[in-house]
C-alpha cells in the first residue's frame, strides 16, 4: 500500500473549517518536500482540542485513493 509522511499544523479554527465542509481538501508538505492534497475527512480521525500538529503517515490504495492516516509524532 503506497504511503507518504506529511507534516500537519492546523489550528482549531482551521480544523473547524474542514469539519464544516467549508474546505474540502487539506494541502500540506510531505517530509521530503512534495506537496500533498488529501480529503478533509481524514483529519477527523486525528484532530484534538489544539487542532492537528505533528507528522502523519497517509496511506493510499493502489488507485491513489486515501485509505488511512496514522500519527507518527506530535510536534
Amino acid at each position: 500500500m503506497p504511503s507518504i509522511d506529511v507534516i500537519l499544523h492546523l489550528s482549531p479554527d482551521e480544523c473547524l473549517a474542514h469539519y464544516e465542509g467549508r474546505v474540502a481538501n487539506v494541502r500540506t508538505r510531505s517530509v521530503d518536500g512534495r506537496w500533498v492534497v488529501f480529503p478533509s475527512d481524514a483529519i477527523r480521525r486525528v484532530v484534538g482540542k489544539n487542532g492537528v500538529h505533528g507528522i502523519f503517515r497517509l496511506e493510499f490504495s493502489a488507485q491513489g485513493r486515501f485509505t488511512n492516516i496514522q500519527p507518527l509524532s506530535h510536534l
Side-chain angles (χ1 to χ4, degrees), residues 6-10 31 43 45-57 69-75:
V6 298
I7 303 164
L8 290 176
H9 290 291
L10 298 171
V31 295
I43 64 168
R45 303 174 192 181
V46 295
V47 69
K49 64 181 178 182
N50 294 322
V52 178
H53 302 280
I55 300 174
F56 297 84
R57 177 158 295 147
I69 185 170
Q70 298 176 22
L72 298 179
S73 70
H74 294 282
L75 303 175

Side-chain angles (χ1 to χ4, degrees), residues 2-57:
S3 66
I4 189 166
D5 297 343
V6 298
I7 303 164
L8 290 176
H9 290 291
L10 298 171
S11 70
D13 288 337
E14 290 170 313
C15 290
L16 184 60
H18 289 282
Y19 183 80
E20 291 177 339
R22 292 183 279 138
V23 181
N25 295 302
V26 177
R27 182 174 187 248
T28 190
R29 290 251 187 208
S30 67
V31 295
D32 64 3
R34 293 179 282 171
W35 282 107
V36 179
V37 178
F38 61 95
S40 294
D41 291 345
I43 64 168
R44 290 182 181 180
R45 303 174 192 181
V46 295
V47 69
K49 64 181 178 182
N50 294 322
V52 178
H53 302 280
I55 300 174
F56 297 84
R57 177 158 295 147

Side-chain angles (χ1 to χ4, degrees), residues 53-67:
H53 302 280
I55 300 174
F56 297 84
R57 177 158 295 147
L58 302 176
E59 296 175 351
F60 299 90
S61 69
Q63 294 76 30
R65 308 270 310 165
F66 171 81
T67 60

